């Protein structure tokens, strides 16, 4: 893990491998951001001119490295683009600071220590810089750097330092003795470490991450952070009548699990339930996915990873709210034991579901978990799932959809997501689409109209939420797994999408801001 310190050194005196400063895009060329004053002085007031000569414009995500002059104690200065210069009397937005810090941290892979002299006049700004840097420094190296047994004993491969993430982030100008700044830094560490834990889970190959092993990870984390963990194995699921989980998981040699994580606070007045889809590998089952669609299906447990990370983060932050997490874990595989299209499942709620497509499995495991979570009558339920390709078609790869049974709650969740820098969009649940899931055989089918498929899935889930409970559904199919080149603080692979939204929702609930 990358370490974070609030440095008491100034930019001119800090000893590190590199020093990061911000540069914005002005009308007439690059403009230095607050925090770069000492570095500019070392360049005799010509840093912006030098950067422009090198082709820098201050555009978002742009990284320019240049040798440091003799007035500094670092060998390299890294100028990172913040995007447009803010309007007069306005500060840089938190998301611009996160993305810039993330871009710089990625560019400094292999370094031991870097100072970040980005704008950090407020504790919120410092927290944003810290979040961006710690998320940008992430690297998944667990399966790299093994010894080459065919190489001479003196030439073991090992991992090169160049592949390792930046080891230490030192925030400059962040007032280390100020309680608000210290709290912002501590929050950033707790939240980003859990996001990165979620990323690790998402990136772990499915031969190593399956329902039982995921449950073991959750159990170990519970012991470490004072979270009560209950794991329902196949026998318990059969006894309890969890037909959705059992139906999806019965085709695999790795049996399904339902994991309950409970963080409680003695002064809490509200309870928030979080439900995550945890399909550790999705082949589509008998309705097998076509070639080219299987390679990234280890990420189909991203919702469960987000819920797990959020519950642990809430515990680490000591939030005055009860947070219960439900991980609906199964592996969807084709076999002689697998559920067939046309089968009818008896769900935990008592309803029956006709399975028309075994690749619409996420809603089946979530349905059981939503019903079980509703029995405890929480004040609100939020489920998170890589649920439908239709949502990706609607919103693209970087935005998740928000659906709900309560318009005010949907608006709150959407606004919270935007506040923490997670792109989202409120989506409707049109009542007319419900008829398409009518079944002549069962209470409901797991498929409906093809058009509006993401909304149909949301309507299916709504059927399994308890009466009078505010509920929101986050379809993170687009942003959960990034297949392109890294950008900002977003890596290639698992992203940890929705964790920040869930944590801020828990904070708002603890503060009584959600009614």
């Amino acid at each position: 893990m990358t370490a974070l310190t609030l440095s008491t050194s100034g930019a001119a005196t800090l000893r590190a491998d590199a020093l990061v400063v911000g540069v914005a895009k002005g009308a007439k060329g690059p403009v230095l951001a607050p925090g770069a004053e000492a570095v500019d002085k070392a360049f005799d007031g010509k840093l912006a001119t030098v950067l422009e000569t090198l082709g820098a414009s201050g555009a978002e995500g742009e990284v320019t490295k240049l040798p440091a002059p003799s007035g500094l104690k670092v060998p390299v200065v890294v100028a990172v683009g913040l995007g447009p210069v803010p309007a007069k009397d306005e500060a840089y937005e938190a998301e611009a600071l996160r993305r810039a810090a993330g871009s710089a941290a990625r560019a400094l892979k292999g370094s031991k220590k870097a100072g970040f002299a980005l704008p950090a006049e407020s504790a919120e700004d410092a927290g944003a810089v810290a979040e961006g840097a710690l998320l940008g420094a992430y690297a998944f190296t667990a399966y790299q750097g093994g010894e080459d047994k065919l190489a001479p004993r003196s030439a073991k491969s090992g991992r090169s330092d160049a592949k390792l993430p930046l080891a230490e982030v030192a925030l400059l100008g962040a007032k280390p003795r100020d309680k608000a700044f210290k709290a912002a830094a501590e929050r950033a560490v707790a939240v980003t470490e859990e996001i990165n834990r979620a990323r690790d889970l998402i990136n772990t190959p499915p031969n190593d991450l399956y329902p039982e092993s995921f449950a073991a990870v959750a159990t170990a984390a519970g012991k470490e952070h004072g979270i009560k963990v209950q794991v329902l194995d196949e026998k318990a699921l059969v006894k309890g009548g969890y037909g959705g989980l059992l139906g999806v998981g019965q085709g695999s040699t790795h049996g399904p699990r339902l994991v309950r994580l409970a963080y409680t606070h003695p002064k809490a007045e509200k309870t928030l339930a979080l439900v995550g889809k945890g399909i550790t590998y999705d082949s589509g089952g008998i309705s097998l996915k076509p070639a080219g669609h299987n390679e990234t299906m280890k990420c189909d447990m991203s919702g469960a990873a987000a819920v797990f990370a959020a519950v642990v983060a809430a515990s680490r932050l000591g939030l005055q709210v009860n947070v219960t997490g439900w991980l609906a874990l199964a592996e969807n595989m084709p076999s002689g034991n697998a559920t067939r299209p046309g089968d009818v499942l008896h769900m935990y709620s008592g309803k029956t579901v006709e399975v028309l497509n075994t690749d619409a499995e996420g809603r089946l495991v979530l349905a059981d978990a939503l019903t079980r979570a509703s029995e405890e009558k929480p004040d609100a339920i939020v489920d998170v799932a890589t649920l439908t390709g239709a949502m990706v078609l609607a919103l693209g790869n970087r935005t998740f959809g928000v659906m709900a049974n309560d318009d005010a709650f949907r608006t709150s969740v959407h606004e919270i997501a935007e506040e923490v820098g997670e792109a989202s969009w409120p989506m409707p649940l049109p009542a007319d689409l419900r008829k398409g899931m009518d079944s002549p055989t069962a209470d409901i089918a797991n498929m409906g109209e093809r058009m509006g498929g993401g909304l149909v899935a949301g309507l299916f889930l709504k059927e399994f939420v308890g009466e009078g409970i505010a509920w929101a559904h986050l379809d993170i199919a687009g942003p959960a797994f990034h297949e392109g080149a890294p950008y900002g603080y977003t890596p290639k692979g698992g992203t940890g999408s929705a964790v920040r939204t869930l944590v801020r929702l828990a904070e708002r609930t603890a503060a009584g801001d959600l009614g």
Side-chain angles (χ1 to χ4, degrees):
M1 288 292 185
T2 301
L4 175 71
T5 57
L6 300 182
S7 179
T8 56
S9 299
T13 58
L14 178 75
R15 294 185 181 276
D17 297 319
L19 183 61
V20 178
V21 296
V23 55
K25 189 173 184 178
K28 298 182 180 180
V31 177
L32 299 181
E37 296 84 359
V39 179
D40 187 37
K41 183 178 179 181
F43 277 90
D44 296 326
K46 297 178 180 179
L47 177 56
T49 302
V50 172
L51 288 170
E52 186 172 21
T53 302
L54 293 174
S57 66
E60 180 185 314
E62 183 182 74
V63 175
T64 306
K65 293 183 179 181
L66 57 165
S70 58
L72 301 176
K73 303 294 185 182
V74 297
V76 176
V77 170
V78 178
V80 61
L82 288 160
V85 176
K88 188 177 181 181
D89 299 327
E90 291 186 8
Y92 288 93
E93 292 185 357
E95 182 62 6
L97 296 176
R98 281 190 203 95
R99 291 180 179 179
S103 295
R106 285 192 299 102
L108 289 167
K109 185 183 295 186
S111 300
K112 288 185 169 56
K113 180 179 179 179
F116 282 69
L118 295 173
E121 296 180 4
S122 69
E124 291 75 16
D125 289 346
V129 173
E131 280 186 12
L134 294 173
L135 291 175
Y138 173 82
F140 184 66
T141 59
Y143 290 80
Q144 298 172 359
E147 180 182 342
D148 183 352
K149 293 182 179 180
L150 298 179
R153 290 188 176 274
S154 60
K156 293 181 179 180
S157 59
R159 258 186 324 214
S160 68
D161 287 343
K163 288 186 178 181
L164 296 176
L166 171 64
E168 181 181 348
V169 170
L171 289 190
L172 278 63
K175 303 178 184 177
R177 296 179 181 84
D178 185 286
K179 289 184 179 180
F181 279 82
K182 288 174 67 177
E186 290 170 359
R187 181 189 184 281
V189 169
V191 174
T192 58
E193 284 186 355
E194 295 314 315
I195 291 173
N196 287 338
R197 191 208 297 256
R199 289 171 168 180
D200 282 348
L201 287 167
I202 297 164
N203 291 328
T204 299
N207 57 320
D208 283 341
L209 188 75
Y210 40 89
E212 185 179 3
S213 61
F214 195 154
V217 171
T219 300
K223 291 179 180 178
E224 181 181 357
H225 296 288
I227 298 168
K228 292 183 178 179
V229 180
Q230 178 187 12
V231 179
L232 299 185
D233 61 13
E234 291 155 284
K235 289 183 179 179
L237 293 173
V238 170
K239 184 177 180 180
Y242 292 87
L245 275 157
L246 290 165
V248 173
Q250 70 188 43
S252 173
T253 56
H254 298 297
R257 298 288 187 273
L258 179 62
V259 180
R260 178 184 184 272
L261 303 102
Y263 160 70
T264 57
H265 191 285
K267 296 182 179 180
E269 296 181 356
K270 297 282 187 179
T271 297
L272 181 64
L274 309 176
V275 178
K277 173 186 173 183
I279 304 300
T280 56
Y281 183 76
D282 183 17
S283 69
I286 296 295
S287 306
L288 195 67
K289 292 180 183 292
H293 290 74
N294 284 297
E295 290 76 7
T296 61
M297 281 300 101
K298 65 181 181 180
C299 79
D300 213 17
M301 37 59 66
S302 296
V307 165
F308 168 51
V311 175
V312 177
S315 177
R316 292 180 62 172
L317 295 171
L319 302 184
Q320 194 169 312
V321 60
N322 297 328
V323 183
T324 304
W326 300 88
L327 314 183
L329 308 177
E331 185 176 61
N332 188 23
M333 296 290 285
S335 75
N337 294 323
T339 293
R340 296 155 291 243
D343 283 356
V344 173
L345 303 179
H346 294 262
M347 309 296 284
Y348 179 73
S349 68
K351 293 182 180 180
T352 54
V353 175
E354 182 181 11
V355 179
L356 299 181
N357 187 325
T358 64
D359 197 22
E361 85 300 327
R363 64 199 70 182
L364 298 174
V365 301
L366 286 174
D368 276 352
L370 284 168
T371 303
R372 179 64 186 88
S374 296
E375 287 182 337
E376 299 185 357
K377 301 193 181 303
D379 295 285
I381 298 176
V382 178
D383 76 71
V384 188
T386 48
L387 206 60
T388 64
M391 196 56 57
V392 184
L393 291 174
L395 299 178
N397 290 315
R398 298 190 182 185
T399 304
F400 62 73
V402 184
M403 287 155 263
N405 62 1
D406 179 274
D407 288 348
F409 189 50
R410 181 186 63 188
T411 298
S412 293
V413 173
H414 168 58
E415 290 176 346
I416 286 170
E418 295 295 309
E419 176 190 337
V420 299
E422 295 197 302
S424 70
W425 196 251
M427 302 292 283
L429 290 174
D432 62 283
L433 290 176
R434 169 60 182 84
K435 185 172 178 59
M437 290 184 284
D438 286 348
S439 165
T441 307
D443 294 321
I444 189 172
N446 77 329
M447 293 291 288
E449 294 184 30
R450 180 170 177 266
M451 299 303 174
L455 312 183
V456 170
L459 285 165
F460 180 92
L461 296 178
K462 183 182 176 183
E463 297 268 333
F464 297 88
V465 178
E467 289 290 330
I469 302 174
W471 158 78
H473 161 55
L474 311 185
D475 190 336
I476 62 170
F481 196 84
H482 180 57
E483 296 185 65
Y487 64 93
Y489 53 79
T490 301
K492 187 178 180 68
T495 64
S497 177
V499 176
R500 284 180 289 156
T501 298
L502 297 179
V503 172
R504 182 57 56 85
L505 176 63
E507 290 173 327
R508 289 279 192 88
T509 305
D513 291 345
L514 291 176

